[in-house]
Amino acid sequence: MPVISYANAKGGAGKTTAALLLATEIAQRGQSVIVFDADPQKWISKWADLGNRSDGISVVSVVSPSSIAEQITDARDQADYVIVDLEGTENLIVANALSVSDLVVVPIQGSSMDARGGARILTLISKLEKIVRHDIKHCVVLTRTNAAVTTRAMKAVQDFLCVNGIDVLYTPIVERAAYRDLFEFGGGLADQDPKKVTNLKKARENAALYAAEVLERAKEALPRKRWYEFYKRAS
Ligand SMILES: Nc1ncnc2c1ncn2[C@@H]1O[C@H](COP(=O)(O)OP(=O)(O)OP(=O)(O)O)[C@@H](O)[C@H]1O
Ligand SMILES: [Mg+2]
């Protein structure tokens, strides 16, 4: 079903965290997810190896530039959602994955470097749209935001996105220790112990709202599915 990719040409923007949060929220709803781990650091593969309640989530760790589009296309028929966690750069794997995505989510932290990395992905998407000859739906999610204050740098990023008419999720992903803990202890937010994790309730609320917004956009993108027909015809 829908293919949702996470991309930002700048490293450390929060792609892997945002991708894992979405995967675990989907699994929590009882639906199946295949995650393509195209991040060379393989954090999501390592998370899966922790083996702590990752029911419903399968992780594909081996990807290559020549196979990724076909791998994603095949996975589409095998799970309710396909999520692709990409490297913080622009390479052939990134371009091929984006070209077969229904929705591209671009995580951006409140810094001009992150915004520029995000802008490079948005430019790449518009080039790919001309090649595949259909729109590739995309949106930005602001990440690691401060729950209490909006910094000047974040305000500048928000202004830049607004001026350029870029779709930004209403829900940012707040800076929370609970999100880092997933990579240490495995499982999803639902599996963490509120006695041991600070602000777990708030993290769960934030993740649920963020996931709901992404899934709503993925649902809207799905009826077009033209890339999928294109690949089916070509193969
Ligand atoms: N919302 C958040 N709350 C707390 N920590 C976060 C959050 N988002 C990201 N981090 C931390 O920031 C760092 C970078 O995040 P992450 O690995 O998700 O980024 P990335 O874009 O996937 O990086 P790369 O380009 O290296 O793949 C990690 O240490 C992660 O734990
Ligand atoms: Mg990553």
Side-chain angles (χ1 to χ4, degrees):
M1 281 302 184
V3 177
I4 305 166
S5 291
Y6 284 79
N8 185 322
K10 155 98 171 39
K15 299 175 289 292
T16 300
T17 305
L20 182 65
L21 278 181
L22 181 66
T24 52
E25 287 298 312
I26 293 170
Q28 165 75 12
R29 295 162 184 223
Q31 293 184 292
S32 60
V33 196
I34 296 176
V35 182
F36 284 89
D37 185 359
D39 178 344
Q41 300 190 64
K42 301 287 167 203
W43 291 120
I44 296 188
S45 305
K46 288 174 195 157
W47 167 86
D49 289 344
L50 294 170
N52 191 356
R53 306 235 190 118
S54 45
D55 304 352
I57 304 178
S58 323
V59 180
V60 179
S61 305
V62 181
V63 294
S64 74
S66 57
S67 67
I68 191 151
E70 200 175 342
Q71 284 178 290
I72 292 173
T73 307
D74 290 346
R76 208 174 188 282
D77 292 329
Q78 292 159 25
D80 295 317
Y81 290 91
V82 176
I83 294 176
V84 188
D85 180 29
L86 291 162
E87 187 177 354
T89 185
E90 287 163 287
N91 60 20
L92 211 50
I93 290 191
V94 172
N96 288 346
L98 297 186
S99 69
V100 294
S101 295
D102 296 296
L103 175 67
V104 180
V105 181
V106 182
I108 292 184
Q109 290 185 41
S111 84
S112 62
M113 283 190 295
D114 265 48
R116 279 203 291 270
R120 275 166 55 197
I121 291 298
L122 300 178
T123 305
L124 176 60
I125 289 173
S126 70
K127 286 181 187 161
L128 291 169
E129 284 174 331
K130 290 188 188 108
I131 296 168
V132 297
R133 289 196 281 164
H134 63 80
D135 293 345
I136 301 169
K137 195 174 167 69
H138 51 274
C139 62
V140 162
V141 60
L142 297 171
T143 59
R144 301 191 76 172
T145 60
N146 186 313
V149 291
T150 303
T151 61
R152 271 176 62 207
M154 178 60 86
K155 184 78 183 65
V157 168
Q158 285 170 330
D159 290 346
F160 166 81
L161 295 170
C162 180
V163 165
N164 288 283
I166 295 162
D167 177 24
V168 182
L169 295 193
Y170 182 74
T171 311
I173 300 178
V174 176
E175 170 90 24
R176 294 274 177 219
Y179 301 152
R180 285 193 292 270
D181 282 0
L182 298 185
F183 292 92
E184 295 285 333
F185 305 110
L189 293 171
D191 306 311
Q192 311 301 313
D193 181 349
K195 292 193 196 94
K196 293 185 185 154
V197 183
T198 340
N199 279 325
L200 182 59
K201 186 166 173 282
K202 286 189 173 148
R204 284 176 180 163
E205 284 166 6
N206 179 219
L209 286 172
Y210 146 73
E213 273 198 73
V214 174
L215 296 182
E216 190 56 38
R217 276 167 177 76
K219 203 167 74 186
E220 287 164 10
L222 199 57
R224 289 174 294 173
K225 235 186 13 177
R226 269 176 280 177
W227 67 261
Y228 182 55
E229 302 305 331
F230 173 81
Y231 269 87
K232 283 273 170 190
R233 276 203 305 274
S235 59

